[in-house]
Amino acid sequence: MRIGLIGTGRIGTFHAEALSRHPAVDALLLADADPERAAGAAARTGAAAVPVDGLFTGEGAAGGPPDAVVICSATSAHAGLIARAARAGLPVFCEKPIALDLPGTLAALAEVEAAGSVLQLGFMRRFDAGYGEARAAVREGRLGRLHTVRAVTSDPAPPPAAYLPLSGGLYRDCLVHDFDILRWVTGREVSEVYATGSNAGPAMFREAGDVDTAAALLTLDDGTLATATATRCNGAGYDVRMELAGERDQIAVGLDDRTPLTSAEPGGPGAPAKPWPGFLERFAPAYEAELDAFLRVARGELANPCDGREALHALRIAEACEVSRRERRPVAMAEIPGG
């Protein structure tokens, strides 16, 4: 397969390295708004650097256009690139989000559906072994009636200040992963949210109109209660966990010898010797698995495991949380357009 990848920043380069090792990839074409950055990534991965326009037209790329496209560009460019690939009939894998708002998301989805093309979104937790086991435990009834879910996402350090105004905020940029995986693991929909946030940390969050720490209480359509918390300021390390409690048993995802969590109990586990430093290390196998799935989807061998409508559901929950935080009230999902 010939694969085109747009955007050679941190996650784009990580994906390019994985694709360069994949046995199904015969040629890898890298494009970026910064041609020098694309050239550097191409040199490191044995790929070919091409202009963004050339990636779609085949100009400047020996062998013509790709068979499928992976989008890792700046978020503001996602929707336009998705639409362009759809019109070209190319299957697309895109890092979340489709767009930072509902109108942009719905417009891009309309392009994909009108073209009858494939769009897979990058919610990598669906490909993590722990979350997969949790999903099986819930679906097989091993926990009994599920009554409580607790999700945690804690970054070890804030992103650069320049990133914040472009990120969409903590709910859309970070907690959206928790909202997606909550739906995927439980098989239920969120019916109502109540959310709040704090910007008592670094001043750059207040200046961007964002929060550095957030919490949401989500009521699922079967009455299960879920909490989702996130922070940009967790100095102990990168901490992503989910706890699921049922009438029969309870389990935890993300609890291992690298979880940055220290017991306060005498004789309890101490701080890990090598806590997870970030998302690329914690979810490296999941990232590779989702790209492998995309290549199989593009070849028609696998049903799409995370299409654009799945991303829309998660974004709608994030939007409801933003409304709740701003207006300091519970928000029913029926209030949010796009359902």
Side-chain angles (χ1 to χ4, degrees), residues 304-327:
N304 193 338
C306 188
D307 66 21
R309 289 286 164 184
E310 296 293 289
L312 174 62
H313 288 307
L315 178 61
R316 290 182 66 246
I317 299 169
E319 292 288 329
C321 287
E322 285 287 4
V323 173
S324 178
R325 179 178 74 90
R326 184 172 62 248
E327 300 182 4

Side-chain angles (χ1 to χ4, degrees), residues 57-123:
T57 64
E59 294 180 15
D67 300 310
V69 174
V70 173
I71 298 173
C72 309
S73 62
T75 295
S76 59
H78 284 188
L81 291 171
I82 288 170
R84 188 170 183 182
R87 291 192 293 269
L90 295 173
V92 174
F93 173 92
C94 184
E95 280 298 332
K96 63 84 189 166
I98 294 173
L100 286 178
D101 57 21
L102 284 171
T105 299
L106 291 167
L109 289 177
E111 291 269 11
V112 172
E113 290 168 5
S117 59
V118 170
L119 170 61
Q120 180 182 326
L121 262 291
F123 282 112

Side-chain angles (χ1 to χ4, degrees), residues 3 44 50 55 133 140 161 181 223 237 248 254 274 299 327:
I3 304 298
R44 290 191 297 274
V50 299
L55 187 142
E133 173 60 20
E140 294 168 10
I181 205 64
R248 185 178 303 155
K274 290 181 63 179
R299 294 196 300 265
E327 300 182 4

Side-chain angles (χ1 to χ4, degrees), residues 191-232:
S191 59
E192 184 180 83
V193 309
Y194 185 84
T196 188
S198 169
N199 58 10
M204 64 182 182
F205 290 96
R206 293 186 291 279
E207 293 164 0
D210 196 6
V211 294
D212 59 72
T213 303
L217 172 63
L218 306 105
T219 302
L220 306 191
D221 57 10
D222 65 347
T224 300
L225 297 181
T227 59
T229 64
T231 184
R232 300 287 198 186

